Amino acid sequence: MKRNIVFGGIFLAAILLTVVGAMSARQTSQTAKPPAAQGTAPAAAPQKTEAEIHGLDLSDFDRTCKPCEDFYRFVNGGWLAHNEIPAAFPAWGRVNLLAEHNRDVLHEILESAAANKTNAPGSVDQQIGDYYAMCMDTTKIDAAGIHPLDDELARIAKISDVASLGPEVARLQMMGVHAMFSFGSLQDFKDSTEQTGGAFQGGIGMPDRDYYTKTDDASVKLRDAYQAHLVKMFGLMGDSSDRATAEAATVMSIETKLANASLTRVEQRDPEKIYHRMGLDQLATLTPHFNWPAYFTAIGFPGITVVNAGMPDFFKALDTQITAVPLDDWKVYLRWHLVHASAPYLTTAIVNENFDFFGRTLTGTPEQLPRWKRCVSVTDRDLGEALGQKYVAKAFPPAAKARALEMVNNLIDALRDDLKTLSWMSPETRVQALAKLNAITKKIGYPDKWRDYSVVKVDRVSYVQNVMRARREDFRYDAAKIGKPVDRAEWGMTPPTVNAYYNPQMNEIVFPAGILQFPLFDAKADDALNYGAMGSVIGHEMTHGFDDQGRQFDAQGNLRDWWTPEDAKNFLERATCVQKQFDAYVVSGDTHENGKLVLGESIADLGGLVIAHAAFEKAHTGKSNAPVDGFTPEQRFFISFARDWGQNLRPAYELMLTNTDPHPLPRFRAIASLQNMPEYAAAFGCKSGDVMVRPEDQRCRIW
């Protein structure tokens, strides 16, 4: 997995947890590193086959709503009313239908590979087939119990002193266990050609530090539920009730200390706050009780000499706890995190208990995804480019790639035109901005070179061991980059993923094949629908290069201030407008959107839609303006944009996203940008005073 720090995806967490059915909070990001993106989900009842429409479905609208009062419900009200959230999902939206289609394609591929037990050892078919088949073999998994973890549990039990604690933490991290902190390769923020080590806060079981620090009644109840979950999990490991209760209290105590020392998600959005390049001497001073050379030797890379210790105060606090916490308590903590990281891959009882907290309690999801859907997602996550080769061959023809590239180029042209005419940007900054735009790398569909997984041993003996071997190889693959030139051809998402991203350190926009499908992208639909849906996604990712985070990186991906002071001031004033707009949106009760947390995504939404609209107008020049289905091409463009965000969410999940996700909730994303655009108001005849028209002195416009 790519471990670049700042990384903007269009859907990210809002879709991510839906994908795995809230399988484990381990899937949500605890640090400034991007989470691993995956596919998405299924419907509870038969759905209309939208893939044959190539236009608008008028039954999706709610005509009782006026477009100038509530455009989100006007466009999506009918669809929302007829598409309840399936029991196995915390949320359900149009994008889920696309991701579920992709998962069906992957399912067919995997079933075929699994049925053939004579695939050549080390071949793509053997690896993905055996990985999926072993995941599906619950009889063998249940019979094994937690014994596949016996060797690791024994190693933890044998830790005899602080000096042996670090190497064991290293071994566990290599298997995907998020103990104490996180570590991986990282492009240096100020020299994007150099790959260094990156060490960041982590080591907690719940999704975010705020779950441990907030004092409101709901947070206290959630902590109580988490501690009860810990007791049950220790019991499933064979511990007595009294011992399990004591162990749960130990884990809660250690994780709370780590959470209290952690940066908030808003603080992590500032690249300068998480850039602290250090050599071995500085690391030794920072954490005198943690032996970094021994850690690097344990992960197999003793030559590492430079690390970005992203959160120095966190590591100081961790170092204090290394000696303050009794060694036996650290053993309890490590034992827990080993089983916690392995829980989705162990017995039915452990899987169910894991889901009971991280699914039912945390997100309000009443049922787990069917086993095969979970197995497809995990195979995509761990052997993504092997499975992705098969997916691309079935679902993404060359013509689709060419059409997508054409649209990307049109959006880049539109942003270039915009940058050339911005009234608030000086010529000095404009030159730098255009140079950055012209240097953007465009990645469409899938990598030019596929990753080779043949070194990963995959068999039909143990599911959890397959997962650990895949993670170990992924860790090794990632750590091996440290000290080597940056590979700019690498991808951070698998081809079937329904998502996209901008990476400021690579200065690249990436659109996997999985998102370049109906209804977001449809070769048989008109320009209005394609530019409103996929065009706004493309514009969103491009604009991330110039949002509050992305603008701090230059054309080569280096953290460097290339703005004049006056231009920076102008930008921040405009960004503050967007922040205040989102601070005012009420989620429920006294809970509002956090404007600072969602600022980057909200800037990208606004800029992306403005740029997509400009590109649409250019592409539509000379074509008919005759209404279709009662809507003009201009209106259809905005309708297509708002359709992307039609999504029902469970209240508990909605609150979790509000606390942890840098993306605004879908219902606000559908209207916020439009409220700032005179072009939208003109298209629907909206006037000053209408809900969908912000007062002129409050209107936000950056790009």
Side-chain angles (χ1 to χ4, degrees):
M1 183 183 76
K2 288 189 73 64
R3 299 180 187 271
N4 300 71
I5 293 298
V6 190
F7 172 103
I10 182 74
F11 299 116
L12 218 57
I15 295 298
L16 173 62
L17 201 57
T18 307
V19 175
V20 294
M23 198 158 55
S24 169
R26 187 187 56 75
Q27 301 283 4
T28 61
S29 177
Q30 298 173 1
T31 76
K33 295 187 298 182
Q38 312 252 344
T40 93
Q47 301 290 325
K48 181 177 292 186
T49 307
E50 292 188 84
E52 298 176 0
I53 295 174
H54 309 297
L56 300 176
D57 185 342
L58 299 183
S59 68
D60 290 344
F61 291 79
D62 181 350
R63 300 289 183 157
T64 67
C65 293
K66 296 179 180 179
C68 297
E69 296 300 312
D70 187 347
F71 195 65
Y72 176 70
R73 299 226 45 110
F74 171 73
V75 172
N76 296 302
W79 191 94
L80 295 171
H82 296 107
N83 287 271
E84 294 183 0
I85 305 172
F89 291 85
W92 187 252
R94 278 193 176 88
V95 183
N96 295 86
L97 296 175
L98 166 54
E100 206 48 31
H101 167 74
N102 288 350
R103 184 150 46 187
D104 286 340
V105 174
L106 297 180
H107 185 211
E108 181 181 329
I109 292 167
L110 289 169
E111 285 285 351
S112 176
N116 187 351
K117 297 181 181 180
T118 61
N119 290 317
S123 67
V124 168
D125 283 331
Q126 180 269 316
Q127 288 188 301
I128 64 174
D130 286 1
Y131 203 89
Y132 173 80
M134 191 59 243
C135 175
M136 292 295 293
D137 194 343
T138 54
T139 300
K140 188 176 289 186
I141 293 169
D142 285 341
I146 66 167
H147 292 301
L149 304 182
D150 282 350
D151 288 347
E152 302 308 324
L153 291 168
R155 290 178 64 91
I156 292 171
K158 290 178 181 177
I159 295 173
S160 57
D161 52 31
V162 169
S164 57
L165 185 61
E168 183 56 28
V169 167
R171 180 178 174 86
L172 291 171
Q173 288 181 358
M174 291 180 71
M175 295 182 292
V177 179
H178 298 284
M180 286 194 175
F181 60 93
S182 65
F183 183 83
S185 72
L186 177 74
Q187 273 181 275
D188 188 85
F189 279 19
K190 297 188 177 181
D191 182 358
S192 63
T193 67
E194 182 182 359
Q195 202 86 14
T196 66
F200 295 91
Q201 67 189 44
I204 57 178
M206 288 193 284
D208 186 65
R209 47 103 56 202
D210 288 356
Y211 284 84
Y212 297 83
T213 60
K214 287 187 174 181
T215 58
D216 59 279
D217 289 345
S219 296
V220 172
K221 289 179 181 178
L222 195 57
R223 284 196 291 275
D224 290 341
Y226 178 59
Q227 194 154 342
H229 166 66
L230 291 170
V231 172
K232 292 176 184 177
M233 289 291 278
F234 278 115
L236 289 170
M237 294 164 64
D239 297 350
S240 68
S241 177
D242 289 346
R243 180 182 174 187
T245 300
E247 289 172 324
T250 295
V251 170
M252 197 68 186
S253 174
I254 293 174
E255 290 187 355
T256 300
K257 291 182 176 71
L258 296 178
N260 282 324
S262 300
L263 294 181
T264 66
R265 290 185 181 245
V266 170
E267 289 170 330
Q268 291 179 62
R269 295 196 70 255
D270 183 349
E272 292 284 0
K273 285 188 176 179
I274 56 173
Y275 180 68
H276 303 279
R277 181 184 170 110
M278 298 183 185
L280 294 180
D281 289 345
Q282 292 168 294
L283 286 171
T285 301
L286 181 68
T287 57
H289 299 102
F290 189 86
N291 189 328
W292 286 99
Y295 173 88
F296 296 144
T297 298
I299 65 173
F301 295 92
I304 295 174
T305 58
V306 177
V307 170
N308 176 10
M311 299 86 177
D313 289 342
F314 172 84
F315 283 100
K316 289 178 184 177
L318 173 61
D319 189 72
T320 298
Q321 296 306 316
I322 285 175
T323 53
V325 172
L327 198 59
D328 284 344
D329 287 0
W330 277 119
K331 292 181 185 181
V332 170
Y333 167 87
L334 294 181
R335 189 165 168 257
W336 153 247
H337 274 275
L338 170 63
V339 173
H340 173 51
S342 308
Y345 323 113
L346 292 170
T347 66
T348 300
I350 291 175
V351 168
N352 289 344
E353 174 54 36
N354 184 65
F355 176 79
D356 192 58
F357 177 76
F358 290 106
R360 289 189 181 89
T361 301
L362 200 59
T363 71
T365 307
E367 293 181 10
Q368 291 195 76
L369 283 174
R371 182 81 187 185
W372 74 263
K373 293 180 184 289
R374 286 177 274 153
C375 291
V376 167
S377 291
V378 173
T379 308
D380 176 42
R381 183 196 69 195
D382 290 345
L383 300 174
E385 289 190 19
L387 181 56
Q389 297 176 52
K390 301 287 186 177
Y391 169 81
V392 166
K394 290 179 70 75
F396 195 64
K401 183 171 183 174
R403 177 78 187 275
L405 181 59
E406 177 186 8
M407 185 178 287
V408 169
N409 287 333
N410 289 345
L411 268 290
I412 287 178
D413 288 343
L415 181 53
R416 185 181 294 112
D417 291 342
D418 182 69
L419 288 172
K420 288 179 178 178
T421 58
L422 279 180
S423 61
W424 58 266
M425 182 178 281
S426 70
E428 294 89 342
T429 302
R430 192 187 323 276
V431 168
Q432 299 275 353
L434 289 169
K436 181 172 183 176
L437 177 64
N438 292 335
I440 286 179
T441 299
K442 297 162 282 190
K443 295 181 178 178
I444 309 293
Y446 50 88
D448 293 330
K449 180 181 179 182
W450 297 104
R451 179 175 166 183
D452 180 10
Y453 295 89
S454 61
V455 294
V456 181
K457 180 185 176 184
V458 179
D459 57 33
R460 302 196 184 199
V461 176
S462 169
Y463 177 36
V464 71
Q465 288 292 340
N466 279 345
V467 172
M468 287 184 170
R469 285 192 292 264
R471 288 176 172 178
R472 190 179 293 115
E473 170 54 24
D474 192 56
F475 189 101
R476 186 211 62 77
Y477 177 86
D478 178 71
K481 302 172 193 172
I482 298 173
K484 295 180 180 178
V486 171
D487 180 2
R488 292 186 175 269
E490 191 178 23
W491 280 53
M493 288 180 178
T494 66
T497 302
V498 182
N499 212 331
Y501 68 88
Y502 171 77
N503 183 340
Q505 293 175 268
M506 302 283 257
N507 194 24
E508 65 181 7
I509 47 177
V510 184
F511 303 98
I515 198 173
L516 297 169
Q517 311 281 342
F518 179 88
L520 293 175
F521 180 71
D522 182 4
K524 297 182 180 179
D526 61 9
D527 284 337
L529 298 190
N530 274 327
Y531 276 89
M534 194 63 213
S536 63
V537 171
I538 295 168
H540 172 101
E541 299 309 338
M542 286 167 33
T543 308
H544 267 308
F546 305 92
D547 70 14
D548 63 314
Q549 288 180 315
R551 76 171 193 87
Q552 299 182 60
F553 293 82
D554 65 17
Q556 288 72 46
N558 296 310
L559 183 59
R560 179 177 69 85
D561 188 359
W562 48 271
W563 295 66
T564 67
E566 185 65 22
D567 289 338
K569 178 175 176 289
N570 288 335
F571 175 88
L572 292 175
E573 288 176 352
R574 286 161 172 74
T576 299
C577 176
V578 176
Q579 177 191 320
K580 290 179 178 178
Q581 179 182 6
F582 278 85
D583 280 336
Y585 287 132
V586 178
V587 176
S588 63
D590 295 331
T591 301
H592 288 233
E593 282 280 15
N594 183 340
K596 289 184 178 179
L597 177 62
V598 303
L599 183 57
E601 298 298 332
S602 303
I603 290 173
D605 278 349
L606 175 58
L609 186 59
V610 168
I611 298 305
H613 182 261
F616 160 66
E617 287 194 317
K618 187 174 182 179
H620 189 68
T621 300
K623 297 180 182 179
S624 172
N625 285 316
V628 177
D629 296 327
F631 297 104
T632 67
E634 190 89 350
Q635 291 173 328
R636 287 161 61 80
F637 169 87
F638 291 112
I639 289 169
S640 183
F641 165 76
R643 270 202 318 178
D644 284 1
W645 304 115
Q647 189 177 46
N648 286 310
L649 295 92
R650 300 189 190 281
Y653 183 54
E654 189 172 74
L655 287 174
M656 190 186 86
L657 292 180
T658 303
N659 290 329
T660 63
D661 190 2
H663 301 78
L665 295 175
R667 68 179 187 269
F668 300 132
R669 298 184 79 172
I671 63 171
S673 299
L674 302 179
Q675 289 176 315
N676 291 304
M677 291 184 66
E679 299 88 345
Y680 163 79
F684 285 92
C686 302
K687 297 177 175 58
S688 178
D690 289 338
V691 175
M692 288 299 301
V693 180
R694 285 173 65 81
E696 190 169 352
D697 63 347
Q698 297 178 28
R699 194 171 298 158
C700 305
R701 181 72 181 255
I702 302 178
W703 307 111

